[in-house]
Amino acid sequence: MSITTADADYVRELVRERSAIVIDASKTYLIESRLGPVVRSAGLGSIEELISRMRRERTGPLADLVVDAMTTNETFFFRDATLWAAIEKQIVPQLKTARQAQRALTVWCAACSSGQEPYSIAMMLIDRFPDVARDWNVRIIATDLSAEMLGRAAAGRYTQLEVNRGLPAVALAKHFRRDGAFWQISDQVRSMVEFRTINLIQPWPFIPAVDLLMLRNVLIYFDTDTKKQVLARARTVLRPDGHLVLGTSETTLNLDERYARIVTDNATTYQPR
Ligand SMILES: C[S@@+](CC[C@H](N)C(=O)[O-])C[C@H]1O[C@@H](n2cnc3c(N)ncnc32)[C@H](O)[C@@H]1O
């Protein structure tokens, strides 16, 4: 399905306005490939028809589907082994000491995609910090813009390919059961995670003070001003000794000088100064 320049620009503008995701001209092929399934599921004949329908009802459900389809949802369990080793060996132990009086820990995965990241945290706490998982008030808040991804995340059902990516065999055996062609995560793990819709560029609902903020592999899709705005708002929800975690290709450098860069066992996190 090929798309006219005017229609591609229309989609680009809509997606940028609703999600801040920037699709530059070299990525027009992405618009074509991602909108094909939307055209088919809406029972339409072409991208042209889809876009002319959207031009008539810009705020309707079709526009939501189009924005959702343009999100990139790549993720996997325990993504970035160096980071997860640092979280397990240094960051959670530090937080555990610091929060001993309150016995409360709040994690926010702010672009959780299909849920592998928040479930990795829950499994790590159950396996390595059983007293925290059992006795503390642990909140793992997992949010995303994509309704489709949040639905998949909340279901906790993964394909063989997905559980093959990053998940240790012992964790698969302990925390999942086979369900036909899928693997279903246990109720114990699933019940530790709360899923909600939050669009990072719209006003945020109340978020409790956060100890660990996973904001990984989402800033890369935004322009510089949006990155700055999101990082500044992230500071307002982080505890002073809390950690912000970005993706390996992301940084606060030249965007927000009010974060201190902390290197722990080769993994970088950021703390408000
Ligand atoms: C590549 S995934 C990152 C998943 C996970 N954090 C990781 O690093 O493995 C990026 C996610 O950001 C979400 N996203 C994009 N724009 C967003 C926005 N404005 N607000 C909230 N989430 C957004 C997408 O829906 C997608 O699920």
Side-chain angles (χ1 to χ4, degrees):
M1 289 192 202
S2 62
I3 187 168
T4 64
T5 306
D7 281 353
D9 288 345
Y10 180 83
V11 173
R12 239 189 285 284
E13 220 178 276
L14 174 89
V15 170
R16 188 164 183 152
E17 179 190 300
R18 297 284 190 86
S19 68
I21 295 171
V22 178
I23 309 163
D24 62 38
S26 67
K27 299 264 173 67
T28 300
Y29 69 93
L30 263 189
I31 302 179
E32 289 169 351
S33 64
R34 301 254 181 101
L35 294 196
V38 179
V39 167
R40 285 186 287 278
S41 73
L44 302 172
S46 64
I47 293 186
E48 202 179 354
E49 194 181 341
L50 171 73
I51 293 166
S52 83
R53 189 74 73 95
M54 281 197 314
R55 286 185 195 273
R56 293 200 297 274
E57 349 161 346
R58 194 173 167 96
T59 53
L62 265 187
D64 292 341
L65 287 178
V66 166
V67 174
D68 198 318
M70 292 312 304
T71 60
T72 297
N73 311 113
E74 163 71 1
T75 189
F76 50 95
F77 291 102
F78 298 100
R79 181 177 192 176
D80 182 6
T82 309
L83 169 73
W84 285 92
I87 292 178
E88 183 189 323
K89 302 260 158 34
Q90 305 287 341
I91 295 172
V92 174
Q94 278 163 25
L95 288 169
K96 199 177 158 189
T97 305
R99 303 288 180 271
Q100 202 63 56
Q102 305 88 330
R103 292 155 75 86
L105 194 68
T106 301
V107 180
W108 179 21
C109 294
C112 69
S113 186
S114 38
Q116 286 87 332
E117 186 179 84
Y119 288 139
S120 297
I121 304 242
M123 287 186 279
M124 189 199 66
L125 291 176
I126 294 169
D127 293 341
R128 307 285 177 222
F129 304 91
D131 53 331
V132 173
R134 191 183 52 237
D135 304 329
W136 285 36
N137 178 16
V138 174
R139 291 190 70 180
I140 304 173
I141 303 164
T143 68
D144 201 282
L145 159 87
S146 162
E148 190 188 336
M149 285 304 124
L150 283 171
R152 291 201 50 209
R157 261 159 77 83
Y158 295 98
T159 62
Q160 185 70 52
L161 202 70
E162 286 170 321
V163 298
N164 283 349
R165 298 186 69 197
L167 188 67
V170 280
L172 178 64
K174 180 169 175 190
H175 297 294
F176 291 76
R177 69 178 162 74
R178 226 187 209 299
D179 182 9
F182 295 91
W183 289 91
Q184 176 66 53
I185 206 155
S186 72
D187 289 343
Q188 183 193 15
V189 178
R190 200 151 62 103
S191 66
M192 286 178 71
V193 183
E194 315 163 28
F195 292 99
R196 292 198 224 161
T197 305
I198 294 184
N199 184 338
L200 291 168
I201 63 154
Q202 282 175 2
W204 296 355
F206 171 74
I207 297 280
V210 175
D211 298 299
L212 184 60
L213 172 43
M214 310 287 273
L215 183 66
R216 302 168 67 215
N217 302 301
V218 62
L219 294 181
I220 35 168
Y221 302 106
F222 299 159
D223 65 22
T224 302
D225 278 350
T226 310
K227 287 179 193 177
K228 286 182 177 171
Q229 283 162 22
V230 173
L231 285 170
R233 275 207 274 171
R235 268 192 283 107
T236 67
V237 299
L238 258 183
R239 284 188 190 278
D241 61 347
H243 291 262
L244 168 72
V245 186
L246 301 177
T248 45
S249 63
E250 296 164 326
T251 176
T252 61
L253 207 72
N254 299 326
L255 294 170
D256 193 325
E257 302 314 321
R258 293 175 64 192
Y259 281 101
R261 185 167 177 266
I262 314 284
V263 179
T264 312
D265 290 350
N266 291 326
T268 301
T269 62
Y270 302 88
Q271 283 186 318
R273 286 188 207 271

